[in-house]
């Protein structure tokens, strides 16, 4: 799978989690916390694989340096929001507002990434995008496997 396809798949998965969160009511405290935790975990892993694997390769594309710098600024904002959400009590009334703000920031980032950055990624060529896709997949498995083991131990 090409790197851009794998990243789009991740984007779609997070979009669905946000939609699921939006469907919950205020009294669904436990469900909202579970969904918020899934969203934040997915975003943490996604940001890590982009920063470690995809963005270094994108710096080689024309205009890639500027695109990567902008994406990393957006990641920093999302990471701060994720940390705030993780620090909230499950019944905190502001959870839904914080998740809504995170959703907006992520949607903005996805639009920019799937637009200009992915267009520029084509310059890397199909073979390189396939190689990057495999590297992203392997790194994601390593990160999620480690998180699952940590949850089981806790």
């Amino acid at each position: 799978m090409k790197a851009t396809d794998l990243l789009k798949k991740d984007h779609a998965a997070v979009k669905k989690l946000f939609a699921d969160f939006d469907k919950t009511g205020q009294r669904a405290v436990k469900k909202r916390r579970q969904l918020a935790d899934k969203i934040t975990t997915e975003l943490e892993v996604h940001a890590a694989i982009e920063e470690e694997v995809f963005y270094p390769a994108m710096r080689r594309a024309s205009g890639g340096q500027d695109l990567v710098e902008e994406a990393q600024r957006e990641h920093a904002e999302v990471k701060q929001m994720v940390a705030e959400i993780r620090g909230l009590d499950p019944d905190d009334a502001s959870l839904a507002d914080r998740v809504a703000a995170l959703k907006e920031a992520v949607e903005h980032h996805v639009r920019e990434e799937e637009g200009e950055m992915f267009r520029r990624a084509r310059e890397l060529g199909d073979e390189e995008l396939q190689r990057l896709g495999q590297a992203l997949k392997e790194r994601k498995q390593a990160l999620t496997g480690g998180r699952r083991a940590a949850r089981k131990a806790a």
Side-chain angles (χ1 to χ4, degrees):
M1 178 182 298
K2 288 182 184 176
T4 49
D5 293 336
L6 184 143
L7 296 173
K8 283 181 184 179
K9 187 176 173 183
D10 277 4
H11 294 163
V14 170
K15 183 178 180 178
K16 183 184 181 326
L17 289 171
F18 278 123
D20 291 347
F21 185 93
D22 289 344
K23 291 177 191 173
T24 63
Q26 286 180 312
R27 294 189 302 171
V29 174
K30 186 176 179 182
K31 181 69 173 172
R32 278 186 166 193
R33 180 79 256 172
Q34 289 172 339
L35 286 167
D37 288 345
K38 284 182 182 179
I39 289 166
T40 55
T41 297
E42 287 293 321
L43 291 173
E44 288 169 338
V45 170
H46 183 79
I49 67 172
E50 281 186 335
E51 291 170 5
E52 294 172 19
V53 178
F54 188 64
Y55 291 170
M58 278 305 302
R59 290 181 188 280
R60 297 190 312 261
S62 65
Q65 184 71 28
D66 291 339
L67 292 171
V68 168
E69 287 175 10
E70 173 65 19
Q72 288 181 315
R73 282 191 293 274
E74 291 171 354
H75 275 199
E77 177 186 356
V78 166
K79 287 176 185 178
Q80 180 179 354
M81 297 169 94
V82 163
E84 290 171 6
I85 289 169
R86 286 209 180 269
L88 293 176
D89 288 329
D91 58 349
D92 191 311
S94 69
L95 180 64
D97 291 338
R98 299 281 178 99
V99 171
L102 177 63
K103 177 183 175 184
E104 186 176 312
V106 169
E107 287 174 344
H108 169 83
H109 176 73
V110 166
R111 277 191 306 274
E112 288 189 354
E113 194 168 80
E114 289 188 3
E116 186 66 21
M117 186 177 286
F118 285 8
R119 275 193 297 278
R120 299 274 176 101
R122 291 185 205 132
E123 293 176 19
L124 300 173
D126 285 345
E127 188 176 313
E128 177 66 357
L129 288 174
Q130 289 287 345
R131 187 194 69 73
L132 288 169
Q134 184 62 35
L136 287 167
K137 179 181 173 185
E138 289 170 7
R139 183 63 181 133
K140 183 175 181 176
Q141 288 172 338
L143 289 170
T144 57
R147 290 173 190 268
R148 283 189 203 110
R151 280 196 301 266
K152 286 181 183 178

